[in-house]
Amino acid sequence: ELKLEDTFLSALQGLSERKFRLGLNVLGILIGCAAVTGLVSITQGLSVEVTGQLDMFGPNNVMVIPFEIRPGRGIVGEGFNWRDINTLEKVSNVKRMAPIIANKFGTYKQRGDTYTANVFGVTPTYFDVYSSYEFVQGRALKQSDQGSIVIGHLIAHPGGSEEQLIETGDRITFTFYVGSLLKEATFRVVGVMEEIGGTFGSEDDRSVMIPFRDAQTIFETGSTVDFVALQVNEMENVDSVVDEIKEEFEGRVMVMSFEVIQEQIGQVLGTIEAVLGGIAAISLLVAGVSIINTMTISVMERTREIGILKALGSKSTEVLLLFISEATITGVLGGILGASLGFFMGVVVGDYIGLPVSVTYDLGLAVILFAVLTSVIAGIYPSWQAANLHPVEALRYE
């Protein structure tokens, strides 16, 4: 009678005698596992990154963006006028409101090179609504400011330079394109914002905030604003504020709250994860087919050996266990090597594209279990075939 450890040792011996075949099976599983681990760890890292960036948005804040869907022209953003802004101000439970002039660009020169910045025209309330913004130097804009500017990290460190080239008190001259006209304006830096960083924050780091009235004059926006940021007094009132705004504007606006953005991003990331997981699962399926193939051949090759085992009194279940052990060892090897390689690849790619990668034990374990399951399921039929061989027929087999 074969003891459990004997079965395991026989399985190991069986595999070591067929190293090349074992290598091919392990490689098949390894590729699938590495793909799953690498892709999912990058997506999970992206998810963590996005959630971190969303915290900057603030759970009590709501962004109202004007747009209309027009036949033949798609989505058209006309901007809000002062009447719209008054309507927004009257919405119940709104604590603060900041109109914003956005989607503008300006260029500035530093040490002979030209750089581009996103330009926002904001009121001082903007910095109260987005209170998570930190300053490295200086302060936010005040009501009395004119010709003042608050700059993002990458503006103070143009081209990503280590050294801070622009400080508070310095003057920056910007060239703006307004229609077909070129306009120049010089601003005095009153504040330098802390680096937000990350995949999405780099846009904020490349931004400058100028007083709302200055933006109106330069960009000739008249009384229209591009969007409005609101701060709701209590977190539980956010949904009712969103509903009230939608009702007031009869679908002419898009209202983005923390939850809505989180949900949308969650859906997108979930879809990406499912697609990537699916691609990787297909490669594991291919690995499973190759295991069925090689184990079936292995059973045929070892028919005499099985016959001898059975003639010596081994039960069918013991023979079945012997072959399933081989499949399990193959799966564990492929899973561990694949998960390790996947995490390694994820980290390398993450470093290259500047994205944090989520390396979790849970994911590693899930991938290894998946690999073992694939191998065992693939090995069941050949193992069952081996267990049901008739000893006399098997001994006669050449």
Side-chain angles (χ1 to χ4, degrees), residues 213-387:
R213 283 193 299 272
D214 289 356
Q216 276 182 314
T217 311
I218 294 165
F219 297 110
E220 300 165 13
T221 55
S223 62
T224 59
V225 302
D226 293 290
F227 43 82
V228 175
L230 304 175
Q231 190 172 50
V232 181
N233 55 8
E234 298 289 339
M235 210 165 141
E236 54 263 28
N237 295 330
V238 171
D239 288 345
S240 68
V241 167
V242 170
D243 292 341
E244 197 175 324
I245 293 169
K246 282 183 176 168
E247 216 168 287
E248 281 289 346
F249 287 89
E250 298 170 342
R252 271 198 312 119
V253 295
M254 186 156 70
V255 189
M256 306 295 278
S257 68
F258 185 79
E259 261 181 55
V260 169
I261 298 172
Q262 209 168 20
E263 214 171 278
Q264 287 181 345
I265 290 171
Q267 280 175 347
V268 171
L269 290 176
T271 310
I272 294 171
E273 225 170 295
V275 170
L276 297 180
I279 293 167
I282 291 167
S283 56
L284 273 180
L285 188 72
V286 173
V289 172
S290 108
I291 289 169
I292 295 174
N293 199 358
T294 50
M295 281 193 65
T296 308
I297 294 167
S298 178
V299 171
M300 282 166 66
E301 278 180 2
R302 292 160 72 185
T303 309
R304 272 186 72 81
E305 189 189 321
I306 296 163
I308 292 165
L309 281 173
K310 286 199 144 185
L312 292 173
S314 289
K315 297 196 192 89
S316 293
T317 45
E318 286 166 2
V319 176
L320 180 74
L321 254 178
L322 175 69
F323 279 85
I324 283 187
S325 300
E326 287 191 14
T328 310
I329 294 164
T330 309
V332 171
L333 268 176
I336 292 172
L337 290 172
S340 310
L341 180 67
F343 281 135
F344 174 72
M345 278 169 22
V347 171
V348 169
V349 172
D351 273 353
Y352 183 70
I353 59 174
L355 194 78
V357 170
S358 166
V359 178
T360 56
Y361 287 119
D362 295 356
L363 177 61
L365 269 173
V367 167
I368 293 166
L369 272 172
F370 195 46
V372 171
L373 267 174
T374 306
S375 305
V376 170
I377 291 168
I380 281 176
Y381 174 69
S383 306
W384 178 80
Q385 227 181 344

Side-chain angles (χ1 to χ4, degrees), residues 43-59:
T43 320
Q44 283 180 350
L46 187 62
S47 188
V48 171
E49 159 103 337
V50 172
T51 312
Q53 297 276 316
L54 261 185
D55 289 341
M56 298 290 294
F57 184 84

Side-chain angles (χ1 to χ4, degrees), residues 202-214:
S202 56
E203 280 307 303
D204 288 330
D205 289 332
R206 224 175 264 118
S207 301
V208 297
M209 321 281 181
I210 63 173
F212 192 81
R213 283 193 299 272
D214 289 356

Side-chain angles (χ1 to χ4, degrees), residues 51-98:
T51 312
Q53 297 276 316
L54 261 185
D55 289 341
M56 298 290 294
F57 184 84
N60 283 27
N61 295 344
V62 172
M63 183 74 80
V64 190
I65 304 155
F67 74 90
E68 284 185 73
I69 297 173
R70 296 207 179 152
R73 281 184 65 192
I75 293 174
V76 183
E78 290 292 341
F80 285 126
N81 54 34
W82 285 115
R83 198 170 56 245
D84 297 328
I85 287 176
N86 285 336
T87 307
L88 283 171
E89 238 169 345
K90 292 192 184 101
V91 172
S92 44
N93 297 317
V94 169
K95 185 178 170 186
R96 293 191 177 99
M97 191 184 83

